[in-house]
Amino acid sequence: MQLLLAAVVVLPLLGAVAALLPAPPGLKGRDPDQAVLRHGVTVTGVVLAAAIALAAGFDHDHPARMQATTDISWIQALGIRIHLGIDGISLPLLVMTALLTFLCALYSYFHLPAGPSPKAFVALLLVLEAGTLATFAVLDLVLFFLAFEMVLIPMYFLIARWGGAQRQYAAWKFILYTLLGSVVMLLGLLLIGLKSGTFDMVALATDNGPKSQLSHTVQLLAVLAIGIGLAVKAPMWPLHSWLPDAHTAAPTVGSVLLAGVMLKMGTYGFVRIALPIAPDGMHTFAPYLAAFAAVGIVYGSLACLALARRGAKGDLKRLIAYSSVGHMGFVLLGIATMTPTGLNGALFANIAHGLITGLLFFLVGALKDRYGTTDLDRLAGRTGAALYGRAPRFGGLLAFGAIASLGLPGLAGFWGEMLAMFGAFRPAEGLSRPAFLTFMALAGLGTLLTAAYLLIVVRRVCMGSKETAEGGGTETAATAGSEEPGAFATAGSEEPGATRTAPVIPDLARYEYAAWSPLAALTVLAGLWPAALLGLTDPAVQQLLGGGK
């Protein structure tokens, strides 16, 4: 088990180095670029297999206990150790990260985004995987910070070099926001380590009672500093503005990993560091965290509604990005309740969001490849894009992702949001119940708004007149505006006033089935059998809130 966890963290780094080396002659195949893409699929597949083996060997009878631990002295003078371990909180995130990265590598093997060398692309993807996996596995504050920062550079280059329009602006905005937040977070982590005399997260989490070496003032300062850094990554309103630009410009796999994995690093930090190590400080700031979360839920939904309406020229990728602000608001609200119910809901919503939003970004990226645009007005035209009639499997899967995202009972999106609101109904002792009831009401309003904008998207993209969409003459070259190559197939001449019709688009390809089916299946499984996940998280949450006992 120790070797498996170490392999899960280290193998992607070794694979990234190997990706930059020349491929052996026998592995180049007809296209040398395919060799490195095949290498990416192989390495991420091995990491996924190791993560699954780790989950299979995990002691499910004692999920609150740290397992597969490695504890080696690294920088003795500063008390920094290479300390790894997993429990019921981190194991699901570790497996989901390995799964999403493998699916991204598989998708890229058949559909590599336009950009520089495939070697650099695969190496960056593997470094990004190593950083995210390490974030969920390390148990030392300094190592956590290093892993937390490790993902920034590869994601910056994935956006800046393989992204779409305005990719440089989006990449710089992403790196500046997250780096500034991380600098503040580092100050909080150092404050905890210096005042307590250790950076060990397990030791700190079990020493937070009345005899804790951290005074109330130190806990307040630590939670404020660490919380700002984590809130930027979460992303919490109003520190979220980097997210829509990054998602809109990022390549498909970049958007999938950004939403499915990187956002979870921020909320995981609240659960693993802020809540158990500085509970008094967290208790003081919990109402403010809940207030920002509730505003973010409503704000994200209203922004999506504005983008979804006809004539708004809303970008579908940008809409899904804003939806993440709302969905992650439920996670933050659950954490702010400081109750087992709320925390379990937050952890469940983390996994559900990774599966569902990862699937949605895959689908939106494929939609852009087929149409050449993600502009809703240009996709839908006057009658709708008619995916049900023109590509029924594609349209059906997109509708499935939308109803899963709006929290339909029986799918994964339902349980986390419901439990987070239940936690807000009766928050931890000492927190203002009237305030949290208000936050719960705002979250409930957010669920209604979420259903509204997602149903509008389904109606505009999946429904409509197939005949009109394919040959109706509702759009002309004079009125279509400036369009990207491939956005519409041309019927007749390019003279002003010439009729343009939407292209006949292909339905799901085999590699798309392979890359997306696991996400859809797990969304259904988690919705029908939530105990599989809650059985892992609940004992660990109970112990965490009990001061490690």
Side-chain angles (χ1 to χ4, degrees):
M1 290 287 284
Q2 289 176 320
L3 291 176
L4 276 175
L5 183 57
V8 165
V9 175
V10 173
L11 276 177
L13 280 178
L14 298 178
V17 174
L20 298 175
L21 300 176
L27 297 179
K28 287 185 178 180
R30 280 180 270 177
D31 183 357
D33 290 342
Q34 290 299 310
V36 72
L37 295 174
R38 191 162 52 245
H39 168 79
V41 175
T42 302
V43 173
T44 55
V46 171
V47 172
L48 175 59
I52 293 173
L54 194 65
F58 187 81
D59 185 357
H60 292 262
D61 294 329
H62 301 90
R65 189 181 69 226
M66 284 294 172
Q67 302 180 35
T69 55
T70 299
D71 193 1
I72 304 171
S73 179
W74 182 33
I75 306 177
Q76 190 171 1
L78 299 177
I80 302 173
R81 307 182 67 81
I82 299 177
H83 192 183
L84 305 177
I86 53 169
D87 63 357
I89 293 173
S90 54
L91 178 63
L93 291 167
L94 197 81
V95 175
M96 185 180 72
T97 299
L99 173 64
L100 283 174
T101 311
F102 169 71
L103 297 181
C104 285
L106 180 64
Y107 183 80
S108 300
Y109 178 80
F110 294 96
H111 193 88
L112 182 69
S117 165
K119 284 188 174 184
F121 178 85
V122 171
L124 290 170
L125 194 68
L126 292 173
V127 172
L128 180 62
E129 180 182 31
T132 50
L133 289 170
T135 301
F136 301 134
V138 298
L139 298 173
D140 184 277
L141 290 178
V142 176
L143 284 183
F144 177 86
F145 177 78
L146 294 177
F148 198 85
E149 295 302 289
M150 184 177 172
V151 303
L152 301 185
I153 299 304
M155 181 54 72
Y156 167 81
F157 282 108
L158 285 175
I159 296 172
R161 304 302 295 276
W162 284 270
Q166 296 187 322
R167 58 182 181 268
Q168 294 292 339
Y169 168 78
W172 275 110
K173 192 172 183 179
F174 161 76
I175 200 75
L176 288 175
Y177 264 76
T178 50
L179 276 179
L180 288 174
S182 297
V183 168
V184 180
M185 183 179 75
L186 177 61
L187 296 177
L189 296 175
L190 292 176
L191 178 63
I192 289 176
L194 294 175
K195 288 294 183 179
S196 64
T198 180
F199 290 101
D200 188 278
M201 292 158 65
V202 176
L204 287 165
T206 56
D207 187 29
N208 57 15
K211 296 182 180 180
S212 173
Q213 298 181 40
L214 300 177
S215 66
H216 183 68
T217 302
V218 169
Q219 291 193 33
L220 286 177
L221 292 174
V223 169
L224 180 62
I226 294 170
I228 290 174
L230 297 175
V232 171
K233 190 70 72 70
M236 182 186 76
W237 180 92
L239 303 175
H240 69 284
S241 62
W242 62 271
L243 183 71
D245 293 318
H247 270 307
T248 305
T252 297
V253 295
S255 293
V256 170
L257 293 176
L258 183 57
V261 177
M262 287 186 62
L263 302 189
K264 313 302 176 288
M265 295 165 62
T267 53
Y268 175 77
F270 276 108
V271 176
R272 181 63 75 196
I273 299 174
L275 190 57
I277 295 176
D280 291 345
M282 190 68 184
H283 192 278
T284 300
F285 284 109
Y288 303 100
L289 177 62
F292 285 128
V295 172
I297 292 170
V298 177
Y299 170 82
S301 300
L302 290 175
C304 290
L305 269 176
L307 291 170
R309 64 183 175 85
R310 182 175 295 178
K313 296 188 179 296
D315 187 281
L316 191 53
K317 281 189 76 174
R318 196 174 189 85
L319 185 148
I320 302 301
Y322 270 111
S323 77
S324 292
V325 176
H327 289 306
M328 297 307 291
F330 281 98
V331 179
L332 293 171
L333 177 62
I335 294 170
T337 67
M338 299 184 68
T339 63
T341 301
L343 276 178
N344 278 305
L347 295 170
F348 198 103
N350 253 347
I351 300 299
H353 179 265
L355 297 174
I356 297 168
T357 308
L359 175 62
L360 286 174
F361 273 117
F362 267 133
L363 290 164
V364 173
L367 197 63
K368 183 175 183 179
D369 294 335
R370 286 160 165 80
Y371 277 93
T373 183
T374 51
D375 185 285
L376 266 172
D377 287 339
R378 289 166 60 191
L379 280 174
R382 294 183 182 180
T383 65
L387 276 186
Y388 286 153
R390 304 170 60 210
R393 295 179 182 84
F394 191 103
L397 191 56
L398 181 61
F400 168 83
I403 62 172
S405 184
L406 64 83
L408 186 74
L411 297 176
F414 171 74
W415 296 105
E417 296 181 1
M418 183 195 70
L419 290 173
M421 288 192 287
F422 276 1
F425 181 75
R426 196 174 298 278
E429 185 178 351
L431 297 178
S432 171
R433 193 180 182 206
F436 273 82
L437 288 176
T438 303
F439 303 147
M440 183 190 73
L442 289 174
L445 173 62
T447 61
L448 297 178
L449 296 175
T450 300
Y453 72 74
L454 285 171
L455 291 175
I456 291 173
V457 168
V458 170
R459 184 190 67 194
R460 298 192 66 195
V461 177
C462 295
M463 300 180 184
S465 170
K466 178 184 175 185
E467 291 76 15
T468 303
E470 290 188 352
T474 59
E475 184 157 4
T476 66
T479 61
S482 60
E483 295 163 358
E484 301 176 22
F488 292 94
T490 303
S493 69
E494 287 294 328
E495 299 291 332
T499 301
R500 289 187 172 194
T501 62
V504 176
I505 66 170
D507 213 332
L508 294 182
R510 290 183 179 178
Y511 73 92
E512 292 172 331
Y513 273 118
W516 304 341
S517 295
L519 299 179
L522 288 172
T523 298
V524 175
L525 180 63
L528 295 178
W529 190 27
L533 184 56
L534 294 174
L536 282 174
T537 61
D538 185 57
V541 164
Q542 297 282 356
Q543 180 169 300
L544 180 143
L545 291 175
K549 301 178 178 60

